[in-house]
Amino acid sequence: MNYLDLSIRDIHQALVEKKVTPLELTKEALKRAKENKDNCFEMILEEEALAFASTLTEPEADNLLWGIPYLAKDNFSTKGLPTTASSNILVGYKPLYDATVIAKLKEKKAVLIGKTTLDELAMGGTGTTGHLGITYNPYDPKHERMIGGSSCGSAAAMAAGIVPFALGSDTGDSVRKPASYGGVIGVKPTWGRISRYGLFPFAPSLDHVGYFTRYAEDAAVLLEALSGRDVMDSTSSVKDVDAYVAESEKELVSPRIAVLDDIVESIRDNAIRDAFLDSLKKLEEAGAMINHIRFGHDLLESIYATYIVISCAEATSNDANLDGIKFGPYYEGKTYQEVMSQARTKGFSELIKRRFVIGSFALMRENQDVLFLRAQKNRAKIVERTNQILADNDFIFVPAAPTVAPKLGATSDKLSDEYLIADNHLALGNFAGLPSITMPLGYENGLPFGVNFMGRAFEESKLLSICRTFEKITGICGDYYGKEGK
Amino acid sequence: MNFEAVIGLEIHVEMKTKSKMFSSSPNGFSREPNTQVTPFDMAYPGTMPVVNKAAVINAIRVANALHMTIDRLIRFDRKNYFYSDLPKGFQITQQFHPIGREGYLDILDRDGKVKRIGIERIHMEEDTCKQLHFASYSLLDYNRAGVPLIEIVSHPEMRSGTEAMHYVEAIRNIVVYTLTSDGKMEEGSLRCDVNVSLRPFGSDKFGTKVEIKNLNSTKNIESALDYEIARQSAILLSGGQVQQETRRYDEASGKTVLMRVKTDAVDYKYFPEPNITPIRISEEFVRDAIDTCPELYDSKKERYVSLGLSPVDAAIILDNLAMSQYFDKALGDGKYAKTVSNLLIVEVNGYLNKNGLTIEQFPLQPEILYLLAKEQEGGFTHKQVVDMFHYCVENEGAKPEDAINALHIAKQSSDDSLVLSFVTAVLDANPQSIADFKAGKDRAQGFLVGQVMKMAKGKVNPGAVAKVMAEELKKR
């Protein structure tokens, strides 16, 4: 048994009892990080982490995150430390300030041991498009399978058991989908619950700070630490932060759970569908009331197109600041157009450029009505339908993904129901800004898959409670690939 | 002329709030370049806009002064384009929902008649950074990036350069007196783009529009428009067509000069700013912003005139905000307004000009100016009061009574019997002068008055002495 494998509360207990020190935990995490072969890291902060961990000598009994090693996706601004968003356009960029979540974790004295890879600028769901190449799924040592993205490095590092928690960001499903492929917990709270200040934007109306843990209780610990109003993010909520750890310990009495049948039916992998249906029975046995509901086939099918239009439109504007003038690699030019054009031509991959073209096209005066504004209207319809279901139900419960981690290079039929519905529905949580958590459900041929619970806005306590119940049902708790005794 | 000019104005005003429109960076002019900058102003990834409340209050006050409908939901949009002076690659503005809509401003037309000009919109936005171009390189100063702006867009309802000039003057008075902006065209804190087209009288169609930039004074607006109207008129009269273009005003030649021909308008791909959720402002907030708004130019002018100032004097004082603020304090109970204004316009301004100072640097407390005016109306001569004025200016903390003591200034008497007794004594003592006077030497009278003033040690009023002297000389 290694202390690093325990839940945050148990590690904390050991730290307080001085059975282990932050330095020992950090060394172990760094060792695992360096041994890892899945291309999880933009940067391992060995020197900085060891220096900081050595200063942590007096345990803080009331601070669960004291001395806990963690990782952050490389699209969180870290003062003085390079932050690239896995894009060549930001190579060498050293931010002047810490993202609010980084600052909060610093204040809690958690130990940042590295920055993790992502799909370039967090755009993408495969974990294959970052400037350092493909990030692999630890559950497939032959490196044939993806971990998913865009928070690929954090997801893979969690699946490899390197740290107890890792920060990610979620615009469509960028935490919750890779969590499913990596057999870990992926959390995206209500929009506005955690400050986005310092998170490099992809599409702000859909962007969320998210994170990965391996224990349901840890998800509550992190939410309590990261949530709250931030004057630097005027979209952050002024609502009080609940005592998520204590609140989520309370078992819910007959929670009402909506299962979206149209999503379940579109899944062709019988093992995943059967496991899901089996978990429904167990939830019922645990006292839950299951309501089978159809969301609406056409609406579900429109999620992907709606998402692409809105996210690309916002992205093309957000990333217009990356012009080589203020930071990042600079290329000489005779005119400002030449300087910008060179930086952007050399700095972005083709996939990113394609998204910018789509986004610009959708925002053009002559196209706005039929593309951008139509997508916004459709988003409103989808949100309305989601909230309608949640008016009568505490949660929406569905498989997080239709498959286990896909093989690299395998092309999915982007017009199939399975792709359009079961592979994209997690964006519902981004459209509506609702809290949504992916929980591990099982393994198929040794590859993990998960489910997703979504709750009402700012009802994270209840959502965390059902997840803790679910963790007991599956018995999957603290797993990672290669864990001792597994 | 056969044509009617159709003129519309877009005015950008830099607000003098303490911090910038969306960041906590200080908003100050003429500081070292790139010292008033936060990561947001340089568009560092992950930074987010936070709306400046003071800027919203200013915008509400200006919108109210322009009789506009104020939107209770504050919303912002992105205007997307690439330019070297635009750090984010977009400007945050209020394209779809300006804070103020449909108002008006009353100005004087060329004949001095009141004319109402409709105002389409007023909105808040952020300034770009300042560029300095050199032969082989350019420098960027981000101090200006993010400075709060309000843009005021008129309807095309002005018909002459004079009207446009009066309109800008009136707008400037509003932004200056609401304490929103310095409103200095020459320093760029008030910037003006003019659109002008011509059409035959009686037509309701618009002609081809020309935009004029680089107008750095209200006088230049009038001159540029006079020139441009004549230019377009000549083209049309000779059967030509006006080109849609942007021109700039060349002050030296008094002409407008072609800058660039306009092609298709740029598509700014506007969409709502996702990082600012719409802000609902309460009725109370709006009312409070309006109720606490400093007194506006027109209201002050009316007040000054009602206190006895001529409209010309009132305008002289109101031409300078700090001067009017000084005057308001010097007014006290308002009893001696006219005298206070004379002292301010002549003596204070004279002192400031002579010493190269501004009114903000003027050492004399306005309350002292009030007391000086009071002394003048209480019987001291203007010259005596001016002496007191200089004594008080030069001696910190000195009051008029200190000046009276120090300078031995005595109030002059106009008491006829006292004056007569001095006159009689002097005449009795100077028979030769009387003879000279009778012989036609007018100078002799002046000499005799001087003798009286000398004998009376300045305690009598020279006017009264002259009058009595003339009468007494006749009797001799």
Side-chain angles (χ1 to χ4, degrees):
Chain A
M1 192 271 307
N2 190 291
Y3 288 108
L4 204 56
D5 298 343
L6 302 177
S7 74
I8 291 173
R9 183 192 292 281
D10 289 343
I11 303 174
H12 174 70
Q13 194 56 39
L15 283 167
V16 171
E17 290 168 9
K18 301 205 172 178
K19 290 178 181 162
V20 68
T21 66
L23 188 60
E24 285 161 0
L25 287 173
T26 301
K27 279 181 177 163
E28 173 65 17
L30 285 168
K31 178 174 153 271
R32 293 181 184 189
K34 287 193 283 185
E35 282 167 8
N36 179 273
K37 299 277 188 286
D38 299 314
N39 189 28
C40 302
F41 301 101
E42 280 291 334
M43 188 175 33
I44 295 174
L45 298 165
E46 184 166 18
E47 212 176 295
E48 294 86 347
L50 290 175
F52 181 54
S54 327
T55 67
L56 303 177
T57 49
E58 283 311 306
E60 294 175 7
D62 57 349
N63 174 6
L64 287 172
L65 293 175
W66 182 84
I68 307 283
Y70 80 101
L71 287 162
K73 190 176 179 178
D74 202 31
N75 60 350
F76 287 99
S77 191
T78 45
K79 189 177 179 176
L81 298 172
T83 307
T84 65
S86 290
S87 178
N88 284 329
I89 203 157
L90 284 166
V91 165
Y93 166 57
K94 280 188 186 171
L96 296 169
Y97 74 103
D98 276 328
T100 296
V101 285
I102 298 285
K104 284 192 171 201
L105 290 170
K106 213 177 244 182
E107 207 180 289
K108 293 267 178 196
K109 303 191 181 76
V111 183
L112 180 66
I113 68 149
K115 307 279 301 279
T116 59
T117 56
L118 54 148
D119 277 301
E120 184 173 358
L121 298 168
M123 292 183 222
T126 57
T128 62
T129 67
H131 66 159
L132 298 185
I134 298 167
T135 298
Y136 299 100
N137 193 321
Y139 279 90
D140 176 25
K142 285 187 284 180
H143 281 177
E144 286 175 351
R145 288 180 190 270
M146 65 173 69
I147 181 68
S150 64
S151 309
C152 50
S154 285
M158 288 298 294
I162 294 169
V163 282
F165 74 94
L167 296 180
S169 63
D170 190 315
T171 304
D173 54 21
S174 283
V175 165
R176 295 161 297 149
K177 179 75 79 65
S180 181
Y181 294 159
V184 293
I185 297 169
V187 181
K188 177 203 86 59
T190 309
W191 195 78
R193 182 67 300 180
I194 299 179
S195 165
R196 287 183 290 120
Y197 182 69
L199 168 65
F200 292 11
F202 165 10
S205 78
L206 301 163
D207 287 346
H208 295 69
V209 170
Y211 52 86
F212 300 90
T213 65
R214 274 192 302 274
Y215 295 84
E217 188 196 34
D218 292 358
V221 171
L222 259 294
L223 192 62
E224 218 169 291
L226 299 178
S227 294
R229 171 71 180 166
D230 175 14
V231 290
M232 298 305 281
D233 172 1
S234 55
T235 70
S236 64
S237 175
V238 295
K239 276 188 201 301
D240 287 338
V241 175
D242 293 350
Y244 295 114
V245 180
E247 289 297 314
S248 63
E249 236 167 301
K250 297 174 188 162
E251 288 233 4
L252 301 172
V253 181
S254 335
R256 299 169 65 89
I257 298 177
V259 173
L260 303 182
D261 280 347
D262 20 19
I263 289 176
V264 181
E265 285 163 15
S266 71
I267 293 172
R268 290 177 296 202
D269 185 323
N270 291 332
I272 289 182
R273 212 173 50 221
D274 292 348
F276 177 77
L277 295 174
D278 186 51
S279 75
L280 278 185
K281 279 189 208 137
K282 289 180 177 150
L283 279 166
E284 254 179 327
E285 283 162 21
M289 294 168 63
I290 308 292
N291 295 314
H292 289 271
I293 286 175
R294 307 196 79 81
F295 191 91
H297 188 270
D298 290 353
L299 265 190
L300 285 176
E301 268 199 348
S302 70
I303 290 175
Y304 179 65
T306 304
Y307 173 76
I308 286 292
V309 169
I310 294 174
S311 67
C312 290
E314 290 188 23
T316 183
S317 168
N318 289 313
D319 289 319
N321 63 335
L322 307 175
D323 57 14
I325 290 180
K326 300 154 299 254
F327 38 75
Y330 177 82
Y331 303 96
E332 295 276 333
K334 287 194 190 69
T335 60
Y336 77 89
Q337 289 98 327
E338 229 178 276
V339 170
M340 289 180 174
S341 163
Q342 289 219 62
R344 291 173 70 84
T345 303
K346 291 177 180 160
F348 296 130
S349 73
E350 293 308 312
L351 284 169
I352 296 296
K353 289 173 197 161
R354 191 184 305 170
R355 290 201 187 229
F356 290 163
V357 171
I358 294 170
S360 280
F361 187 78
L363 284 174
M364 280 165 70
R365 198 183 286 133
E366 58 267 43
N367 303 331
Q368 268 220 9
D369 271 355
V370 288
L371 289 173
F372 186 68
L373 295 179
R374 193 165 147 211
Q376 295 287 15
K377 279 181 204 145
N378 200 57
R379 176 180 178 175
K381 267 195 215 167
I382 292 170
V383 169
E384 194 191 342
R385 177 64 184 137
T386 310
N387 285 327
Q388 203 177 33
I389 293 169
L390 284 171
D392 302 325
N393 295 278
D394 298 301
F395 309 109
I396 289 174
F397 179 54
V398 284
T403 61
V404 293
K407 284 200 170 175
L408 293 161
T411 49
S412 50
D413 175 2
K414 298 221 161 162
L415 294 175
S416 69
D417 268 5
E418 181 175 83
Y419 180 77
L420 285 177
I421 293 179
D423 230 353
N424 282 289
H425 66 82
L426 290 179
L428 287 175
N430 303 80
F431 286 169
L434 299 175
S436 168
I437 298 179
T438 289
M439 292 294 296
L441 172 59
Y443 299 88
E444 184 185 2
N445 302 322
L447 296 167
F449 58 89
V451 295
N452 183 269
F453 287 96
M454 181 162 64
R456 295 186 200 108
F458 296 103
E459 292 192 359
E460 278 88 353
S461 288
K462 280 167 81 172
L463 186 65
L464 288 161
S465 170
I466 193 78
C467 287
R468 291 177 80 166
T469 302
F470 194 77
E471 185 181 60
K472 286 174 202 151
I473 288 172
T474 62
I476 299 176
C477 188
D479 279 15
Y480 63 86
Y481 179 77
K483 188 177 181 181
E484 270 176 69
K486 282 291 292 186
Chain B
M1 195 180 68
N2 304 298
F3 300 103
E4 175 182 57
V6 176
I7 301 166
L9 270 72
E10 287 171 21
I11 295 177
H12 283 90
V13 179
E14 277 185 349
M15 298 196 219
K16 54 177 185 183
T17 45
K18 285 199 189 82
S19 57
K20 291 185 179 177
M21 187 69 225
F22 299 112
S23 82
S24 59
S25 177
N27 171 27
F29 295 101
S30 42
R31 303 282 171 87
E32 274 289 293
N34 295 313
T35 55
Q36 314 218 336
V37 182
T38 60
F40 175 84
D41 307 319
M42 288 190 72
Y44 274 45
T47 54
M48 298 171 81
V50 179
V51 178
N52 182 339
K53 195 168 150 188
V56 176
I57 291 172
N58 281 338
I60 291 171
R61 287 172 175 174
V62 174
N64 180 61
L66 296 172
H67 316 94
M68 307 190 84
T69 307
I70 294 163
D71 199 330
R72 264 51 174 180
L73 199 57
I74 307 291
R75 285 164 282 190
F76 290 92
D77 307 295
R78 289 186 183 179
K79 179 182 183 176
N80 296 286
Y81 62 102
F82 286 101
Y83 198 60
S84 43
D85 72 355
L86 190 68
K88 292 191 288 296
F90 59 85
Q91 178 195 36
I92 305 178
T93 179
Q94 293 190 293
Q95 174 67 10
F96 301 122
H97 305 282
I99 187 165
R101 273 188 194 281
E102 292 310 327
Y104 64 84
L105 189 55
D106 287 336
I107 60 161
L108 296 180
D109 69 8
R110 218 162 15 178
D111 306 323
K113 275 190 274 181
V114 173
K115 178 172 174 181
R116 182 158 288 185
I117 306 297
I119 296 172
E120 186 190 321
R121 57 187 282 143
I122 166 174
H123 66 255
M124 295 174 279
E125 57 188 30
E126 51 178 345
D127 211 343
T128 56
C129 71
K130 200 158 104 187
Q131 303 195 93
L132 292 166
H133 296 298
F134 297 90
S136 59
Y137 63 97
S138 297
L139 296 177
L140 297 169
D141 180 3
Y142 288 84
N143 284 0
R144 202 185 71 182
V147 166
L149 296 176
I150 47 175
E151 181 175 341
I152 303 163
V153 182
S154 82
H155 283 296
E157 293 176 355
M158 282 157 271
R159 297 290 174 260
S160 69
T162 311
E163 285 179 22
M165 178 175 74
H166 289 161
Y167 172 82
V168 176
E169 283 168 353
I171 293 280
R172 187 180 59 193
N173 288 338
I174 286 172
V175 299
V176 167
Y177 276 85
T178 51
L179 305 187
T180 296
S181 172
D182 291 336
K184 289 181 180 162
M185 288 189 82
E186 64 281 11
E187 288 177 14
S189 60
L190 189 151
R191 307 195 281 265
C192 196
D193 296 337
V194 177
N195 287 301
V196 54
S197 62
L198 298 192
R199 65 181 174 193
F201 275 106
S203 167
D204 54 3
K205 286 193 196 124
F206 293 119
T208 305
K209 180 167 82 169
V210 167
E211 187 178 0
I212 312 174
K213 288 183 177 290
N214 193 32
L215 297 161
N216 58 9
S217 73
T218 52
K219 189 66 204 153
N220 279 356
I221 290 172
E222 187 182 37
S223 316
L225 276 165
D226 286 348
Y227 175 84
E228 182 60 21
I229 291 165
R231 186 188 74 88
Q232 290 186 23
S233 186
I235 292 172
L236 295 173
L237 284 174
S238 65
Q241 284 194 330
V242 174
Q243 222 186 173
Q244 190 179 345
E245 61 194 34
T246 302
R247 302 177 73 84
R248 69 178 172 82
Y249 182 62
D250 181 65
E251 202 171 353
S253 64
K255 294 177 178 176
T256 63
V257 186
L258 177 68
M259 276 173 82
R260 57 179 175 268
V261 176
K262 283 220 171 177
T263 48
D264 283 348
V266 183
D267 182 354
Y268 291 115
K269 305 191 185 81
Y270 290 100
F271 73 97
E273 167 58 63
N275 277 328
I276 302 171
T277 36
I279 302 163
R280 170 78 52 193
I281 48 172
S282 65
E283 285 310 309
E284 196 190 346
F285 183 84
V286 175
R287 208 182 321 118
D288 198 49
I290 293 168
D291 289 349
T292 58
C293 182
E295 190 181 11
L296 295 179
Y297 180 97
D298 286 347
S299 158
K300 277 201 182 199
K301 189 166 179 184
E302 215 171 280
R303 184 161 58 86
Y304 292 173
V305 170
S306 78
L307 287 170
L309 271 67
S310 71
V312 173
D313 284 354
I316 290 172
I317 291 171
L318 286 164
D319 193 44
N320 180 332
L321 171 71
M323 189 67 82
S324 86
Q325 288 168 333
Y326 187 95
F327 181 59
D328 283 339
K329 285 185 197 142
L331 270 176
D333 55 11
K335 262 191 198 165
Y336 316 114
K338 176 81 182 118
T339 308
V340 171
S341 92
N342 286 343
L343 286 170
L344 186 63
I345 291 170
V346 181
E347 303 310 327
V348 176
N349 267 334
Y351 177 86
L352 296 177
N353 288 340
K354 194 175 148 205
N355 295 286
L357 298 175
T358 65
I359 185 73
E360 288 93 335
Q361 298 163 313
F362 185 53
L364 192 69
Q365 293 302 308
E367 293 76 20
I368 304 296
L369 202 69
Y370 170 84
L371 293 176
L372 288 166
K374 188 178 176 185
E375 294 298 357
Q376 183 166 337
E377 295 206 15
F380 285 100
T381 64
H382 178 67
K383 188 184 170 303
Q384 286 176 321
V385 170
V386 170
D387 289 342
M388 293 181 212
F389 167 81
H390 285 290
Y391 180 87
C392 292
V393 170
E394 277 143 33
N395 296 277
E396 203 186 320
K399 294 196 167 140
E401 60 201 64
D402 303 324
I404 291 167
N405 290 332
L407 302 175
H408 307 293
I409 296 171
K411 206 175 276 186
Q412 294 168 334
S413 174
S414 304
D415 177 9
D416 281 353
S417 58
L418 180 68
V419 172
L420 183 60
S421 67
F422 282 117
V423 169
T424 307
V426 166
L427 287 176
D428 289 349
N430 292 283
Q432 183 56 45
S433 295
I434 298 170
D436 289 348
F437 178 77
K438 297 283 181 196
K441 288 184 184 166
D442 287 347
R443 266 187 314 169
Q445 187 176 357
F447 169 77
L448 290 166
V449 170
Q451 291 301 306
V452 172
M453 295 309 289
K454 201 170 168 185
M455 182 183 279
K457 293 180 179 146
K459 282 179 189 164
V460 288
N461 186 309
V465 173
K467 186 167 155 264
V468 173
M469 181 66 76
E471 285 163 9
E472 289 305 307
L473 275 170
K474 276 184 210 156
K475 294 180 190 165
R476 298 269 169 159

